[in-house]
């Protein structure tokens, strides 16, 4: 069975982004508290980006790998906005 890293990567990136922004209004759903849910979602997002890079290196024939790798910009912006919100930047 051939692994399709690009599809798994895109799915994990989408799930990670959704879980990461959940504690912030208007969703405001908390399972592990603010910090736990944000870090759990961000780790799922990072795993998705790593799988997207693996798909890019293995030269899979899918457009989803470009979407998941280009979401690195979202990760950088999220970290900057998150530090701006909590006042540590």
């Amino acid at each position: 069975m051939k692994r399709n890293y690009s599809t798994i990567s895109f799915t994990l990136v989408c799930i990670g982004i959704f879980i990461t922004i959940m504690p912030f209004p208007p969703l405001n759903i908390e399972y592990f508290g603010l910090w736990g849910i944000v870090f759990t979602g961000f780790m799922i997002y990072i795993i998705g980006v790593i799988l997207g890079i693996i798909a890019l290196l293995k030269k899979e024939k899918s457009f989803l790998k470009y979407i998941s790798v280009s979401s690195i910009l979202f990760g950088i912006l999220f970290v900057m906005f998150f530090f701006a919100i909590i006042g540590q930047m």
Side-chain angles (χ1 to χ4, degrees):
M1 184 169 140
K2 185 177 178 183
R3 291 188 181 166
N4 197 0
Y5 289 110
S6 58
T7 306
I8 298 169
S9 167
F10 180 72
T11 306
L12 286 177
V13 164
C14 290
I15 290 171
I17 289 172
F18 179 72
I19 291 174
T20 302
I21 63 172
M22 251 197 311
F24 302 108
L27 297 173
N28 204 9
I29 300 170
E30 293 186 21
Y31 294 113
F32 306 117
L34 175 66
W35 297 107
I37 196 78
V38 167
F39 290 132
T40 303
F42 200 68
M43 286 301 126
I44 293 172
Y45 165 77
I46 292 295
I47 292 169
V49 169
I50 291 171
L51 288 176
I53 292 171
I54 291 172
L56 194 64
L57 293 175
K58 289 193 179 265
K59 298 178 181 169
E60 288 187 10
K61 297 183 186 292
S62 175
F63 185 71
L64 295 177
K65 64 182 175 187
Y66 297 116
I67 295 173
S68 62
V69 171
S70 67
S71 71
I72 293 174
L73 179 62
F74 172 77
I76 293 169
L77 287 174
F78 178 77
V79 170
M80 288 174 52
F81 287 142
F82 191 68
F83 280 127
I85 288 171
I86 61 172
Q88 298 293 326
M89 191 170 227

